[in-house]
Amino acid sequence: MKEQIWQYKETKIQGVSLAGTYSAYLLPDQLCCIDVGQGFDWLLNVHQYFITHGHMDHAAGIAYIISQKNMRHHPKPQFYMPASLIGPMTQIVRLWSQIEKFTYDFEFFALEDFKEISLKPGFKMRPFKTKHRIDSFGFSLIKTHKSLAPEFQNKNSQALAELKKKGIPIEIEKEKILISFSGDTEIEFLDMNPHLYESEILFLESTFIDDKKTIEQAKTWGHIHFDEIISRLPYIKAEKVLLKHLSGRYSLNRAEKILDEKLPPAWRQRFEVFPGR
Ligand SMILES: [Zn+2]
Ligand SMILES: [Zn+2]
């Protein structure tokens, strides 16, 4: 296992991704993390953790991260996860607490569809429901900035200062979806949320990519087959489509070749496979 840093424009992701084995992605500039795999030391310098779902390859490291962060006297870590995961995960952490004879400080929060969570100033995370074998969410990382509301755009600076003094809000928040992450999911989450196609980067699970596995087989396990992404190309506005959670049956080289064969040439350069394995 070797984590890698992938970057497009201003968005940086450090992580590892291998179906059924581990998934963890650190956003070093936004100081948060999506999924934690088995809990790795390069995930420990942030305090907001977003968990897509409870499968062990994505969430097994929660207790380990809590223990490490408490031992290092870091601020209390915050974990955002599907509501149905909070009870069982609290029991797991409680049992580790008994074993280690140490009381941990941590917070678990239930994700709600489209209920945004603030990150460091200028960024927020927007969860959205996806469709897997257990409760699952994806996340949009959103960059925000303030701009003058259109009705005040023809006012001079003195008039604006007056309005501000009176407490009248003259700015509105504008946003840009830098990246949308799927967790493990079937493709239908995209049909349910077509605005995700507009994200600058679309980071999609694509567990199976060749013809040795069928779309039906991918669906049986709640996953996406690459052919389902290809059939949605006309809708995709994202500048980059990054594939992750590929089955171990594909080496990175093999995966790149399959993309060469299956994608129309005009699309090929917009698609990449996440390099951390
Ligand atoms: Zn998985
Ligand atoms: Zn899963």
Side-chain angles (χ1 to χ4, degrees):
M1 191 264 295
K2 181 80 190 102
E3 77 276 12
Q4 299 284 335
I5 294 177
W6 180 89
Q7 183 164 7
Y8 179 68
K9 293 189 174 170
E10 58 193 307
T11 308
K12 224 182 274 167
I13 308 165
Q14 179 177 358
V16 286
S17 173
L18 187 59
T21 305
Y22 38 63
S23 283
Y25 310 97
L26 172 72
L27 298 170
D29 295 331
Q30 287 79 26
L31 302 175
C32 65
C33 207
I34 297 182
D35 287 344
V36 295
Q38 287 76 20
F40 308 116
D41 57 356
W42 44 273
L43 302 177
L44 295 175
N45 287 326
V46 298
H47 73 278
Q48 283 177 301
Y49 297 88
F50 296 89
I51 306 297
T52 60
H53 67 297
H55 281 155
M56 285 188 87
D57 49 325
H58 301 255
I62 291 174
Y64 177 76
I65 287 176
I66 290 171
S67 165
Q68 288 290 309
K69 291 191 75 69
N70 275 259
M71 201 168 70
R72 295 171 192 215
H73 307 292
H74 286 188
K76 157 164 74 176
Q78 299 178 329
F79 292 82
Y80 302 84
M81 60 183 79
S84 57
L85 183 57
I86 289 185
M89 199 53 75
T90 304
Q91 285 182 46
I92 288 171
V93 175
R94 224 175 259 152
L95 288 171
W96 274 112
S97 180
Q98 262 177 43
I99 294 165
E100 292 200 318
K101 294 203 188 327
F102 187 87
T103 306
Y104 307 125
D105 213 6
F106 64 95
E107 283 178 295
F108 286 169
F109 300 97
L111 291 167
E112 287 175 44
D113 209 18
F114 289 92
K115 190 176 168 203
E116 292 164 354
I117 298 130
S118 298
L119 305 174
K120 72 177 217 186
F123 295 97
K124 59 186 180 181
M125 200 69 97
R126 181 185 294 150
F128 51 88
K129 275 190 182 154
T130 55
K131 184 173 178 239
H132 193 38
R133 298 177 61 242
I134 58 175
D135 288 345
S136 71
F137 280 83
F139 300 98
S140 291
L141 171 67
I142 294 166
K143 187 181 179 179
T144 59
H145 70 275
K146 295 254 196 286
S147 87
L148 201 56
E151 62 266 38
F152 301 126
Q153 263 158 16
N154 55 0
K155 302 245 186 254
N156 62 29
S157 55
Q158 206 183 339
L160 291 174
E162 287 291 320
L163 287 166
K164 240 181 170 173
K165 227 191 243 168
K166 287 184 194 155
I168 296 169
I170 58 169
E171 289 179 318
I172 49 166
E173 190 179 80
K174 290 211 163 164
E175 60 175 56
K176 177 182 178 184
I177 304 184
L178 293 180
I179 180 163
S180 290
F181 291 74
S182 75
D184 287 4
T185 180
E186 292 178 45
I187 194 78
E188 283 71 19
F189 85 98
L190 275 175
D191 306 331
M192 284 148 46
N193 296 290
H195 73 281
L196 298 177
Y197 288 119
E198 318 265 339
S199 315
E200 187 168 81
I201 305 162
L202 205 44
F203 196 11
L204 300 178
E205 82 119 289
S206 183
T207 304
F208 301 117
I209 58 173
D210 68 1
D211 300 336
K212 291 194 179 123
K213 289 278 178 183
T214 62
I215 289 175
E216 287 65 38
Q217 283 169 313
K219 280 208 169 301
T220 305
W221 294 102
H223 291 305
I224 294 175
H225 192 292
F226 184 44
D227 290 354
E228 296 175 286
I229 299 173
I230 294 177
S231 68
R232 284 163 177 78
L233 288 183
Y235 306 114
I236 296 178
K237 304 279 181 300
E239 294 173 22
K240 280 280 170 202
V241 182
L242 184 58
L243 304 180
K244 63 181 164 108
H245 201 270
L246 268 60
S247 158
R249 61 180 51 234
Y250 316 110
S251 67
L252 284 179
N253 273 343
R254 178 79 194 117
E256 295 286 347
K257 286 210 178 81
I258 293 171
L259 264 58
D260 291 343
E261 287 160 19
K262 290 204 166 205
L263 281 168
W267 282 91
R268 179 63 184 93
Q269 57 167 2
R270 282 164 73 178
F271 275 74
E272 291 187 32
V273 177
F274 189 78
R277 291 290 284 260

